[in-house]
Amino acid sequence: MTQRFVDAADEWAEARLEDRETAIETKAEQALLEIEYLVSGRTEVSFEVDAEAGELHYAPSDPLAERLADQAAETGLDESTLLRLHVDLFVGAFSTDDDERPPNAPPV
């Protein structure tokens, strides 16, 4: 997980009064679902988060794996780096700007 990913998860956690691990899982699911849906039409993903190690483990669908392989051949980057870049891009897709904080939330 990049610092951008962790920062987005921290913002999500603060806005929703969630712990960091829950927010990291939420942001990972949102980003992976967005990517998978755009490439393969999938509406469910399964992944593992190792928050202590700062790692997200995900096995992409066949269509996404093929797309990543094509992009790797075009760019010279490996598939895991490309997937990390895509996740990093989509981690902010669900902004908290429009969300209201709960009335009992402490001031920001």
Side-chain angles (χ1 to χ4, degrees), residues 1-81:
M1 293 180 284
T2 65
Q3 189 60 47
R4 181 171 193 260
F5 183 97
V6 172
D7 289 346
D10 286 343
E11 287 178 25
W12 186 266
E14 184 178 330
R16 286 163 182 75
L17 302 177
E18 292 180 348
D19 62 81
R20 180 183 243 187
E21 189 170 329
T22 301
I24 286 172
E25 289 178 5
T26 299
K27 295 310 287 179
E29 182 176 31
Q30 289 174 343
L32 291 169
L33 273 172
E34 192 70 22
I35 295 162
E36 278 289 1
Y37 183 76
L38 290 171
V39 174
S40 68
R42 287 180 70 182
T43 57
E44 292 184 28
V45 293
S46 181
F47 59 92
E48 292 182 23
V49 172
D50 184 345
E52 285 186 28
E55 296 177 346
L56 171 61
H57 302 277
Y58 180 67
S61 66
D62 290 343
L64 179 54
E66 288 174 20
R67 174 72 56 93
L68 292 169
D70 290 346
Q71 289 177 337
E74 290 174 15
T75 65
L77 298 171
D78 61 78
E79 286 114 0
S80 62
T81 298

Side-chain angles (χ1 to χ4, degrees), residues 73-95:
E74 290 174 15
T75 65
L77 298 171
D78 61 78
E79 286 114 0
S80 62
T81 298
L82 288 163
L83 182 57
R84 187 185 74 232
L85 291 169
H86 291 309
V87 167
D88 216 32
L89 176 68
F90 282 100
V91 74
F94 300 92
S95 173

